[in-house]
Amino acid sequence: MAGVGPISQDWEPVVIRKKAPTAAAKKDEKAVNAARRSGAEIETVKKSTAGTNRAASSSTTLNTRKLDEETENLHHERVPTELKKAIMQARLEKKLTQAQLAQMINEKPQIIQEYESGKAIPNQQIIGKLERALGEKLRGKK
């Protein structure tokens, strides 16, 4: 290879540059502090909706108006008075405590207490268990 001719390079120089900082990087605390140290001008602007969830707050007036206009009274069905009295009378006739009756039907004593106080939401399975344990018909009694 020594006698072939002058050796030359065809290569062009390759320049690698970093990307320009994005808007988020410009707002970064490090970048702002560096700009302050170098004496560059820094502009701070408070956005009008800063710190609020704009999407959520825009529809609240519509929702509150709908809620104010809503007149339907929603509540769960409770144990009727006749059923409360029938359970209590049948239990007392058998001389059982609430805890004993609850144990007989495999439920918690609190369930019996709620049924007798009228706070429970009627469950036909539990009423059926009570009918079998007490030996009396509790449903459909008028």
Side-chain angles (χ1 to χ4, degrees):
M1 291 259 163
V4 179
I7 298 176
S8 64
Q9 286 186 335
D10 276 7
W11 296 356
E12 294 180 22
V14 177
V15 179
I16 299 174
R17 294 190 181 119
K18 288 185 177 180
K19 289 184 188 176
T22 61
K26 289 178 188 173
K27 295 176 189 173
D28 187 24
E29 195 173 339
K30 280 184 181 178
V32 172
N33 287 338
R36 282 189 183 132
R37 280 193 295 273
S38 67
E41 206 173 303
I42 300 171
E43 180 183 358
T44 55
V45 178
K46 173 133 172 49
K47 292 184 178 179
S48 61
T49 59
T52 62
N53 188 349
R54 190 73 179 144
S57 63
S58 64
S59 64
T60 53
T61 54
L62 296 173
N63 290 341
T64 52
R65 186 171 52 85
K66 284 180 187 176
L67 285 172
D68 288 341
E69 291 172 357
E70 186 68 44
T71 58
E72 188 177 355
N73 195 1
L74 302 173
H75 56 11
H76 291 289
E77 182 185 347
R78 297 284 179 220
V79 176
T81 311
E82 302 85 36
L83 181 61
K84 293 191 314 187
K85 288 180 181 175
I87 292 171
M88 213 177 302
Q89 285 175 352
R91 178 178 62 82
L92 292 173
E93 282 174 11
K94 289 224 171 198
K95 296 180 181 167
L96 296 170
T97 64
Q98 289 180 345
Q100 289 169 334
L101 177 58
Q103 191 174 11
M104 285 175 68
I105 65 167
N106 293 326
E107 294 290 341
K108 294 179 181 175
Q110 182 183 354
I111 301 279
I112 306 299
Q113 185 180 355
E114 287 175 354
Y115 268 82
E116 288 187 0
S117 65
K119 294 179 183 173
I121 298 170
N123 181 338
Q124 295 305 316
Q125 285 181 321
I126 293 176
I127 295 171
K129 287 181 186 180
L130 287 168
E131 286 177 340
R132 282 192 299 278
L134 296 171
E136 282 195 35
K137 187 170 180 177
L138 303 171
R139 294 178 279 195
K141 214 176 186 182
K142 299 283 179 197

